Amino acid sequence: MNRVVVTGLGCITPIGNTVADFRTSLFAGTTGIAPFPPYPEAPAREAHDKTQGLRFTQTAAVKDFDASQHLDSGILTATDRTVHFAVVAARQAAAESQLTNHYTPDKIAIIVGCACGGRQAEETETAKLYTRDARVHPLTVVRTMASAGASNISIDLKITGPALNISTACSSGAHAIGLAFQMIRSGMIDAAITGGHEAPLTFGFLRAWDSMRVVSPTQCRPFSADRDGMTLGEGAAMFTLETLESALTRNATIYAEIVGTGSSADASHITQPHPDGAAAAMRIALKDANASPDEVGYLSAHGTGTLVNDTTEAAAIHQVFGPLAAKIPVSSTKSLHGHSIGASGALEALATILALKESLLPANTGITQVDPAINLDIILGAPRKASPKLALSNSLAFGGLNAVLAFRPIE
């Protein structure tokens, strides 16, 4: 089987719209979480009421991104914000690796994750329909479909190989990367553009999440003793993957090797996670990587900052690693870029890859005291210098859909 490596990176995120800016913010602990501006479509309220009927006031939104500076009017008209993120991030990764100059278009796959589709287009047109019985825009269908990112990356980069979208809630991006890895390893394709994208920060989406009582009224603090929920985000991260042999032959930059992936289902509850499911996915990823638990030197946690998720994920880590669990450095970067649903696994894979490349593990910011019940080595304060032999990145979605990626550094 082929060995598979990462040779190009791209991103549009709340903490940077280039990989260089993302890296700087990641290791400086600079958060992208901030108060969101008023939503014009929110129901009218008293002038002194700044909450817009929500129990929280902050999100992790992409900043200083003008899609018209990157995309032509045709794409802008036919697509939603999530696709803008996807196409620009994919361009960045493809430009760095020069993938399309080295492989025929039919041997490159596009495998991306997006769970929510074009939320802005859907809510805007639905409101017009139900409040004014107005005509719905003729491009509403193609703006809202979750697969629009994969389609538009294909069109933009003239790639004709397999192209598809995976929608598995918060694990979408990680599942997509895992599938792309398996396709290259097996020889089905030669290379891939893969990752995740999402732009769900619409007023209706915020109200829906608010109803679940899982969003923090303050700020996401994964594994903190006083954690009180997640912070919603948006963005995209994209990667180019190819075989190690090909990358070495053409002297490409290699960021990391993907060595394993694991997927499982809790088969338990639609919103309440179960540790057995997450533990199974980690074990499968380790077996797929032909690795033992004592090789893991960093774990990028799903770590949403909710009471249940963090406790359950910690329990799963203890199941897999036993007495080693308390010695493995762990952090969740969602305290920086928020929870971007289908893109979150891709953003966290990017953070994990940079951690391996730089021999520097990102800190879990915003914590004053780690929940003692967690009993894990949560990285606090500054990033930690370390050179792990193996790193895992967890994505644990609603519905009990789990995806774990295993990475090794290239020496």
Side-chain angles (χ1 to χ4, degrees):
M1 293 192 294
N2 295 315
R3 293 174 65 183
V4 181
V5 294
V6 181
T7 56
L9 311 174
C11 69
I12 302 294
T13 78
I15 60 172
N17 296 336
T18 64
V19 172
D21 288 345
F22 179 93
R23 179 201 174 281
T24 297
S25 297
L26 176 70
F27 294 125
T30 303
T31 186
I33 297 173
F36 51 78
Y39 280 83
E41 61 269 35
R45 293 184 174 270
E46 298 293 333
H48 66 273
D49 183 359
K50 306 299 183 183
T51 68
Q52 302 181 84
L54 297 167
R55 294 174 178 80
F56 59 94
T57 60
Q58 298 193 103
T59 56
V62 169
K63 303 165 187 67
D64 303 320
F65 176 77
D66 181 355
S68 67
Q69 297 298 308
H70 303 276
L71 307 171
D72 64 36
S73 59
I75 297 177
L76 292 174
T77 301
T79 58
D80 199 79
R81 181 174 170 88
T82 183
V83 173
H84 305 163
F85 294 162
V87 172
V88 176
R91 281 182 182 176
Q92 291 175 8
E96 180 183 29
S97 67
Q98 292 294 296
L99 201 72
T100 56
N101 293 336
H102 293 277
Y103 298 96
T104 59
D106 62 315
K107 297 302 289 182
I108 303 173
I110 298 166
I111 314 294
V112 297
C114 176
C116 303
R119 294 295 310 172
Q120 188 62 62
E122 182 175 346
E123 289 190 19
T124 299
E125 299 306 315
T126 300
K128 285 165 53 178
L129 174 64
Y130 288 116
T131 61
R132 307 198 310 271
D133 193 23
R135 177 176 180 264
V136 173
H137 195 284
L139 294 177
T140 299
V141 171
V142 295
R143 287 174 175 174
T144 57
M145 62 189 191
S147 59
S151 296
N152 279 279
I153 292 170
S154 168
I155 294 167
D156 187 69
L157 297 176
K158 309 302 180 189
I159 292 171
T160 59
L164 59 93
N165 179 78
I166 291 179
S167 178
T168 49
C170 316
S171 293
S172 301
H175 273 130
I177 297 167
L179 177 57
F181 157 67
Q182 291 172 324
M183 292 171 72
I184 297 172
R185 183 173 61 175
S186 70
M188 178 179 176
I189 54 172
D190 292 340
I193 294 175
T194 185
H197 63 97
E198 206 81 89
L201 301 182
T202 57
F203 185 69
F205 193 78
L206 299 190
R207 286 291 291 266
W209 277 94
D210 193 36
S211 297
M212 298 191 75
R213 308 292 200 274
V214 293
V215 180
S216 170
T218 54
Q219 185 169 319
C220 176
R221 299 183 297 283
F223 304 112
S224 181
D226 63 349
R227 66 190 183 277
D228 57 7
M230 69 175 69
T231 298
L232 294 164
E234 64 177 356
M238 296 289 169
F239 311 89
T240 56
L241 309 184
E242 58 189 291
T243 67
L244 173 63
E245 181 181 11
S246 177
L248 290 174
T249 299
R250 67 186 191 88
N251 198 30
T253 297
I254 300 175
Y255 285 95
E257 181 179 3
I258 304 182
V259 292
T261 185
S263 298
S264 70
D266 290 357
S268 177
H269 192 277
I270 198 67
T271 60
Q272 299 296 317
H274 196 287
D276 290 356
M282 284 185 273
R283 289 191 181 102
I284 294 167
L286 287 171
K287 182 177 181 180
D288 194 42
N290 194 28
S292 59
D294 61 357
E295 292 182 76
V296 177
Y298 174 60
L299 198 152
S300 174
H302 186 61
T304 62
T306 66
L307 290 171
V308 173
N309 176 89
D310 293 1
T311 302
T312 303
E313 185 171 12
I317 293 168
H318 282 281
Q319 272 193 40
V320 175
F321 295 98
L324 297 173
K327 301 176 183 178
I328 299 171
V330 175
S331 64
S332 168
T333 55
K334 285 186 174 71
S335 54
L336 302 179
H337 53 67
H339 192 349
S340 52
I341 316 301
S344 61
L347 267 63
E348 288 150 24
L350 176 58
T352 305
I353 290 166
L354 291 174
L356 292 176
K357 183 70 172 175
E358 303 287 338
S359 296
L360 195 62
L361 311 182
N364 202 111
T365 63
I367 295 181
T368 54
Q369 180 183 352
V370 176
D371 183 349
I374 296 296
N375 192 26
L376 295 173
D377 180 16
I378 305 298
I379 303 170
L380 301 178
R384 185 180 301 177
K385 292 182 180 180
S387 299
K389 295 179 181 179
L390 183 73
L392 298 184
S393 183
N394 287 351
S395 294
L396 315 175
F398 268 0
L401 307 180
N402 309 300
V404 178
L405 299 170
F407 298 94
R408 289 193 188 274
I410 290 291
E411 299 178 356

